Amino acid sequence: MLGNLIKNANYTKEDHLATNRLKELVVVLRNREIMHGLTPEKLRMILEDLGPTFVKLGQVMSMRPDFLPQEYCDELVKLQTEVKPLPFTTIQIVIEEEYKTKWTKVFQSIDEQVLGSASIAQVHRAVLKTGEKVVIKVQRPGIYDVMSKDIVLLRRAATILKVISESSGLIDFNRILDEMWAIAKQEMDFLMESNHNDEFRQCNSDIDYVTCPIVNRQLTTSRILVMEYIDGIQIDKINEIKALGYDINDIGKKLGENYVKQIIDDGYFHADPHPGNIWIRSGKIVWLDLGMMGRLSTRDRAALKKAVFAVVNNDTYEMKAAVLALGVPKERINHTRLYEDIDAMMNEYVGLDFTSLHLGPLARKILAILSRHKIAIVPGISMFARGVVTIEGVMRICCPDVHFVEIFATHMQADFRKNFDLREEIEKAKRDGYNLLRKSMRLPEQVSDILKMTMSGQTKVNFDLTGSEEPLRQVDKMINKLIVGIISSALLLGSSIICTTQMTPKIMEIPLLGVFGYIAALILCTRLVFSIMKKK
């Protein structure tokens, strides 16, 4: 199929450049024996082999349990972003191209030993002319062109990359590509990352135990990020942290409280809070790698609060309202079935205390319900789901006695008390009471109007019969099959009549029009038989 796609395409210069890349992708798929089946582990290894574009795509899909089964999402979280480092000479060339001068005129020294090497950039220690220790993050040369070409290929192949066919109408693969490409461009634009650092520092300026690296704006460009060197300890180095006299549980509580603040108060949170991005320095939590940040609207945050309170109170109706507020319905909702699904999920949490509840799996279950009922979600919610899964994993490793969801609920209760204004609530109750009284006074008039319209035959009543959608859908399918059968019979009968005439042109003494009629009837009958067999 891919070969035909290449042969039949109207080539442009971009097509020609993409052909070699397409061949590389085919070789990887063949080496991984894609034709012998696809497992979660094999999918992860294929994406790693295919390069940075597909690694990013896998990372985005790992945040979308509405797009892939849960076991695939869990496996894609393990995607390795560490890659073979570039030679130091290549890094020097990139720096000099960007600054238009010798690197020695900007830096006193650059450590050739790599601090980290990811698919998009490479990190080195350096010292400025002033003697200040910094870290420089240098973008891999040509990475933007490679990823943009891969995106072109993926967009053209979107029609044959229907990962989950039954999700058509809800899951748009091009939308997933748009989300991935937007995230990738964020991470490739270091000016944007420096803006993220500034915004994050401003949001947390009143938190004395949280910080992030200070960016050197004068030396930062879209391809080079220069920021202060963080001489600290990665948060999962438990023994080293304890050896310095820190209380790991206290650090865990502060970490959880700050992440909840990012989600609930700021609506601006670190979307990839794995241990490598969280360091401890001088008693402070230092957040690193702010290239990928998530945002939640006021409406999204209110829905998340409502969902957590619903779990705490085991309120299925409140959870249903929260679920509906988290997405956009793509087709008519069966509210009875939605309530049943949510109630089944809520029953899993009956009698469950906070120490046994994990917010990440709960978020994924909610996303699965949204997918099942064709309710599309916004990127911020999927990034939130991945973020809380990651942060809960970090806290289980570092401080298993501290529970993220308990911190989440406590923060919301404090937020409710902080924002509660008794005088405002009384005024609101007065307004609501007045509106209710005014509407009640109009009830007799409205009932009288209804009776008059009924007596004159003008009343129209709309019935919504719950559960009728599926039977009507089946009847619709039956009618379609009946129509196909009638058309096939007509084609067979008409072709047979034509074959008794001397109509020309002919093929093997059979009128050509009759042959076409038989072929069309055969195709229709074959499709009809296959649809019946598939149903059985």
Side-chain angles (χ1 to χ4, degrees), residues 363-391:
R364 286 183 165 179
K365 288 176 182 177
I366 292 174
L367 293 184
I369 290 175
L370 287 167
S371 174
R372 198 177 308 136
H373 290 272
K374 304 295 185 290
I375 303 173
I377 59 172
V378 295
I381 297 298
S382 60
M383 295 177 84
F384 160 80
R386 179 187 174 180
V388 294
V389 167
T390 307
I391 201 73

Side-chain angles (χ1 to χ4, degrees), residues 215-407:
V215 174
N216 186 316
R217 283 283 188 169
Q218 290 183 333
L219 297 178
T220 295
T221 70
S222 60
R223 297 174 64 203
I224 298 177
L225 179 65
V226 181
M227 55 189 172
E228 68 170 312
Y229 173 69
I230 302 299
D231 186 14
I233 306 171
Q234 196 167 300
I235 195 168
D236 59 348
K237 308 291 185 184
I238 309 298
N239 294 332
E240 294 180 34
I241 292 175
K242 288 182 177 179
L244 292 177
Y246 292 116
D247 182 349
I248 194 65
N249 284 334
D250 180 61
I251 290 175
K253 288 178 183 177
K254 290 178 177 177
L255 175 66
E257 287 170 359
N258 180 247
Y259 201 68
V260 171
K261 174 190 175 295
Q262 293 177 35
I263 294 169
I264 298 299
D265 297 346
D266 305 333
Y268 183 70
F269 59 95
H270 199 300
D272 192 20
H274 64 74
N277 288 337
I278 308 170
W279 287 57
I280 306 300
R281 183 189 68 176
S282 303
K284 291 188 176 183
I285 298 169
V286 185
W287 292 89
L288 305 179
D289 194 5
L290 300 173
M292 185 165 62
M293 301 294 290
R295 291 188 185 273
L296 292 171
S297 66
T298 304
R299 180 175 177 270
D300 295 333
R301 283 179 274 162
L304 290 173
K305 291 179 186 179
K306 187 178 291 187
V308 173
F309 276 128
V311 173
V312 173
N313 299 319
N314 194 32
D315 189 338
T316 302
Y317 283 104
E318 192 74 3
M319 178 60 82
K320 179 172 177 284
V323 166
L324 290 173
L326 285 171
V328 180
K330 292 300 181 182
E331 59 182 47
R332 191 174 185 178
I333 295 175
N334 186 325
H335 289 274
T336 302
R337 190 171 297 171
L338 176 61
Y339 179 88
E340 290 172 352
D341 288 345
I342 293 174
D343 191 51
M345 179 190 72
M346 297 290 285
N347 287 336
E348 299 178 24
Y349 296 96
V350 173
L352 199 66
D353 58 7
F354 279 125
T355 59
S356 305
L357 178 63
H358 298 299
L359 197 58
L362 173 62
R364 286 183 165 179
K365 288 176 182 177
I366 292 174
L367 293 184
I369 290 175
L370 287 167
S371 174
R372 198 177 308 136
H373 290 272
K374 304 295 185 290
I375 303 173
I377 59 172
V378 295
I381 297 298
S382 60
M383 295 177 84
F384 160 80
R386 179 187 174 180
V388 294
V389 167
T390 307
I391 201 73
E392 284 186 330
V394 171
M395 294 179 68
R396 279 198 297 272
I397 294 171
C398 303
C399 44
D401 295 330
V402 181
H403 304 284
F404 180 73
V405 71
E406 190 169 1
I407 295 173

